[in-house]
Amino acid sequence: MTVQTLTIRRPDDWHLHLRDDELLRAVLPASARQFGRAVVMPNLKPPVTTAQAAMAYRERILGALPPGSAFTPLMTCYLCDTTDPADIRAGFDAGAFAAAKLYPAGATTHSEYGVTSIDRVAGVLSAMQDIGMPLLIHGESTDPAVDVFDRETAFLHATLQPLLARYPRLKVVLEHITTAEAADFVMRDSSGRLAATITPQHLMFNRNAIFAGGIRPHYYCLPVLKRERHRLALRRAATSGLPAFFLGTDSAPHDTTAKESACGCAGIFSAHVALQAYLTVFEEEDALGRFEAFASDNGARFYGMPPNRETITFHRRPMRVTEQIDLPDGRHIRQFLAGETLPWTLA
Ligand code: NCD
Ligand code: ZN
């Protein structure tokens, strides 16, 4: 018999861009309605590089929450070549930072202040290893000679493998994985200290979507969508129930003029529909019974945080995804799956 309702422990989003100011106020309610907690990315302009900046950003997020919301933002530190290990320790001990984010300099949106070589942050990484603070990695090679579709795989061998060998107890999340190679890499590690987040777009689409009948900037994100065989491998990983894989939407809003441009920004805004999109994938893979592990259990366990106590319920009722959300200044943000209908509605 077809399942008509599904109740699971309230999920968390382990990779989210909330931006700031007007954009923050426009996008935050969607995440707050669905998720208990979210790991908030620090790639603001300027980036969040100090505990003081993280605490101030958290206050702005809390100030933008709808009344009565219990949503908890988990703040991250943007690592630079100059990050001081003592500040990382102090920020983690004080609860200002839940994790630190490593952007290889130039790898993605607002990553120009990122790390130019792992050696530059050696002291920071050993401090993080000592205190059990997770390192979140944007895993793409920035070598201009590497093809854009091969950047993740190149990173695994050239950077991640040596990093893991050098810091054998460091907790690492490989963010938004996009390839079969990355999924295999994470699966092969049996230590429990390596995990990966997976986005809804990488489970639903391959790179053809970017070029279907013309160039489609709203399917452009980083790491870029890959071939079908990678999408299928990611679907197997996400629905495997393995504790190393968990939900991270990478919802990354940009207004439509920034996306629909001669040099459009990378990032897909999925916050409103992410859960229904993931759920659709799990159902297609006949894995509804493993949805809660991916969405609500595995991430909290990896981060050493208690699972959420509340639940959420989905109903089998078609939901049409609205095209866009409007900003007060007249700009718009186009939504992932705009105009499509998904089979589940969140109560
Ligand atoms: C993100 C953004 O816009 O901040 N863009 C994206 O395509 N995912 C940055 C990132 O996570 O790489
Ligand atoms: Zn991101």
Side-chain angles (χ1 to χ4, degrees):
M1 211 184 71
T2 328
V3 180
Q4 294 300 325
T5 65
L6 182 74
T7 298
I8 61 165
R9 186 188 296 287
R10 184 180 287 286
D12 301 302
D13 185 349
W14 299 98
H15 184 128
L16 176 64
H17 298 268
L18 285 175
R19 313 304 191 203
D20 214 342
D21 305 319
E22 221 163 57
L23 220 50
L24 165 66
R25 287 189 287 276
V27 302
L28 177 63
S31 294
R33 198 169 67 83
Q34 305 168 71
F35 296 103
R37 294 164 286 204
V39 169
V40 180
M41 290 297 127
N43 62 334
L44 301 183
K45 271 182 157 175
V48 178
T49 54
T50 63
Q52 203 186 2
M55 287 189 288
Y57 185 28
R58 176 165 50 203
E59 287 309 310
R60 295 197 296 281
I61 296 169
L62 295 176
L65 278 174
S69 170
F71 176 81
T72 305
L74 302 169
M75 309 312 292
T76 56
C77 178
Y78 183 118
L79 295 183
C80 307
D81 286 352
T82 52
T83 304
D84 181 349
D87 292 346
I88 289 285
R89 274 180 194 275
F92 187 67
D93 288 346
F97 298 134
K101 178 73 190 265
L102 191 160
Y103 291 104
T108 187
T109 311
H110 305 161
S111 65
E112 53 274 26
Y113 303 104
V115 172
T116 60
S117 97
I118 297 299
D119 285 342
R120 300 281 180 107
V121 285
V124 168
L125 299 187
S126 16
M128 290 176 65
Q129 170 167 261
D130 287 348
I131 59 182
M133 180 176 181
L135 176 70
L136 317 182
I137 302 184
H138 183 108
E140 286 196 285
S141 166
T142 52
D143 179 346
V146 175
D147 188 278
V148 65
F149 293 102
D150 298 334
R151 285 181 191 166
E152 185 172 275
T153 312
F155 183 87
L156 297 177
H157 303 295
T159 308
L160 185 58
Q161 191 135 33
L163 185 154
L164 293 172
R166 189 164 165 189
Y167 303 96
R169 290 175 294 107
L170 181 63
K171 282 166 85 164
V172 172
V173 184
L174 191 55
E175 297 289 336
H176 43 51
I177 59 168
T178 62
T179 57
E181 287 74 17
D184 287 348
F185 190 98
V186 171
M187 265 183 217
R188 274 201 301 273
D189 183 282
S190 54
S191 66
R193 57 80 174 238
L194 177 64
T197 53
I198 308 181
T199 77
Q201 63 265 26
H202 292 99
L203 295 171
M204 294 184 95
F205 296 98
N206 65 36
R207 64 193 194 178
N208 286 356
I210 310 168
F211 308 104
I215 188 137
R216 295 186 181 264
H218 297 288
Y219 287 94
Y220 176 53
C221 65
L222 285 171
V224 71
L225 296 173
K226 303 294 193 304
R227 287 177 180 277
E228 180 64 357
R229 79 172 176 89
H230 298 295
R231 186 183 77 96
L232 296 177
L234 295 172
R235 286 168 81 101
R236 284 194 293 276
T239 59
S240 65
L242 290 171
F245 297 103
F246 44 85
L247 186 158
T249 62
D250 195 18
S251 177
H254 295 275
D255 68 70
T256 38
T257 54
K259 294 282 297 170
E260 297 169 8
S261 144
C263 185
C265 293
I268 293 179
F269 174 54
S270 63
H272 286 69
V273 290
L275 276 182
Q276 288 95 325
Y278 283 118
L279 184 54
T280 304
V281 168
F282 273 71
E283 181 158 47
E284 286 165 0
E285 295 293 321
D286 205 9
L288 281 185
R290 289 195 283 273
F291 184 52
E292 187 173 42
F294 177 79
S296 316
D297 298 339
N298 295 347
R301 193 181 315 109
F302 184 86
Y303 274 77
M305 294 180 185
N308 293 321
R309 267 187 291 192
E310 323 80 76
T311 58
I312 59 168
T313 298
F314 300 90
H315 295 278
R316 188 179 298 283
R317 195 184 311 136
M319 183 200 73
R320 187 175 180 278
V321 182
T322 51
E323 305 277 335
Q324 61 187 33
I325 62 169
D326 303 325
L327 299 174
D329 63 4
R331 290 180 297 157
H332 313 286
I333 310 168
R334 190 167 168 90
Q335 303 209 74
F336 180 52
L337 303 176
E340 309 223 354
T341 299
L342 293 175
W344 294 92
T345 300
L346 184 59

